[in-house]
Amino acid sequence: MTIRFEGQVAIVTGAGGGLGREHALALAARGAKVVVNDLGGARDGSGGSATAAEAVVAEIEAAGGEAIANAASVTDFAAVQAMVDQAVAKWGRVDILVNNAGVLRDKSFAKMELDDFRFVVDVHLMGAVNCTKAVWEIMRQQNYGRIVMTTSSSGLYGNFGQANYGAAKMALVGFMQTLAIEGGKNDIRVNSLAPTAHTRMTEDLGAALPLEALEPSLVTPGLLYLVSRDAPTRAILAAGAGGFERAYVTLTQGVHITGADAPEQVAAQFEAISNRDAEIVPEMGAAQGMIELTKAQQAHGA
């Protein structure tokens, strides 16, 4: 199976450098027409310029591809809508959205200003919400769409100094879970990519990571699969240094506990509650309630 994108239009946010640039170049090389979006700001979100996006467009065009540059901030819904309108006016459709734009304002939670927390959540989470909302009806009308959220191990598992970033990145997984359910009937498949790569977002981790092995281009093959016609949906794909793994949000079978000493029983049986032998990946949130009701019925002999 060869993954190609002829006749498809892709929007990649944060595509002026790093992972987004690699995603945009690879999509264009495989036939997609690409909107290269990048605010062109600093790593903390300050400033802005279209230069970075225009440089990537020049690379795509030099290789024989089609692309347009866009410097909209993903936090500005009107600007995002104008970007999507521009793509539709030029090429007639939008098939792929890669929510990749991001910023960092790292500090321990004790030292973090609430404005820095809000801003990081606004860019990562609400930026993805804005872009997804702007393409959602188009994809529904087409009965086709592929959307990727860029999550992170910092959200899935935590990382010191990144409470704001981690909260936003895990929120994107929850966003994906519901969109994949709602988009299913219109063949809109929604996935999450958790990359490990050497970009300006990770440059401060140089002492801890073998940066020469963490080229952003090694993550992009996973992205290409997640936006392909045969893509899965609701997958969390981790990628870095040529390694690919899947992360899951799972649910154990647990234990039924009631009575006046229920808190003490939860403490006493926490190991049994945590037993993963028969854990599941729920199809939707209601699975938790069904498991709990089933245990209650069994406990009462129903």
Side-chain angles (χ1 to χ4, degrees):
M1 179 186 70
T2 300
I3 295 176
R4 301 289 303 178
F5 300 98
E6 276 83 7
Q8 295 193 30
V9 176
I11 296 174
V12 183
T13 68
L19 285 164
R21 172 180 171 274
E22 294 295 337
H23 297 342
L25 292 174
L27 284 162
R30 289 173 177 258
K33 299 174 177 64
V34 183
V35 178
V36 179
N37 164 264
D38 201 288
L39 176 64
R43 193 174 65 161
D44 66 358
S46 60
S49 167
T51 304
E54 290 168 350
V56 176
V57 169
E59 286 187 77
I60 291 172
E61 291 178 340
E66 287 188 62
I68 54 176
N70 182 278
S73 168
V74 295
T75 64
D76 182 345
F77 181 72
V80 167
Q81 186 64 65
M83 172 181 68
V84 172
D85 291 345
Q86 179 187 19
V88 172
K90 186 171 181 64
W91 292 314
R93 57 191 296 118
V94 176
D95 302 277
I96 295 164
L97 170 64
V98 181
N99 286 307
N100 175 75
V103 296
L104 286 178
R105 292 189 178 182
D106 292 354
K107 282 186 180 178
S108 67
F109 189 63
K111 297 178 180 178
M112 185 178 294
E113 298 292 335
L114 286 178
D115 284 347
D116 287 337
F117 199 106
R118 289 190 187 95
F119 183 71
V120 169
V121 170
D122 197 26
V123 172
H124 289 273
L125 175 58
M126 291 310 301
V129 171
N130 288 338
C131 293
T132 303
K133 184 66 173 177
V135 303
W136 191 253
E137 190 57 32
I138 294 168
M139 292 180 173
R140 288 183 70 239
Q141 292 297 322
Q142 292 172 173
N143 282 312
Y144 186 90
R146 301 290 183 265
I147 300 172
V148 168
M149 311 295 174
T150 304
T151 186
S152 171
S153 58
S154 295
L156 296 169
Y157 309 113
N159 196 35
F160 187 90
Q162 293 193 312
N164 50 3
Y165 182 78
K169 289 303 193 182
M170 194 59 181
L172 287 169
V173 174
F175 187 40
M176 171 202 76
Q177 299 278 22
T178 292
L179 288 184
I181 295 170
E182 293 183 2
K185 65 182 179 181
N186 296 111
D187 195 20
I188 302 173
R189 304 182 193 182
V190 190
N191 295 288
S192 291
L193 179 68
T196 305
H198 179 211
T199 69
R200 68 175 185 166
M201 294 281 281
T202 59
E203 60 190 12
D204 294 339
L205 303 176
L209 298 173
L211 300 181
E212 69 279 359
L214 293 175
E215 289 295 324
S217 61
L218 297 175
V219 172
T220 297
L223 180 281
L224 294 179
Y225 172 57
L226 292 181
V227 297
S228 68
R229 291 189 183 278
D230 295 321
T233 195
R234 296 182 74 182
I236 306 169
L237 179 65
F244 296 89
E245 308 81 31
R246 280 192 70 176
Y248 295 91
V249 179
T250 67
L251 185 68
T252 68
Q253 292 299 310
V255 175
H256 180 71
I257 297 170
T258 59
D261 67 341
E264 290 75 20
Q265 285 298 313
V266 170
Q269 298 193 62
F270 199 70
E271 185 173 343
I273 292 168
S274 304
N275 187 294
R276 301 183 64 178
D277 287 348
E279 72 179 3
I280 63 169
V281 179
E283 289 296 317
M284 58 182 62
Q288 175 186 335
M290 294 302 297
I291 287 176
E292 291 162 350
L293 288 170
T294 297
K295 285 200 290 285
Q297 291 169 347
Q298 291 170 344
H300 290 90

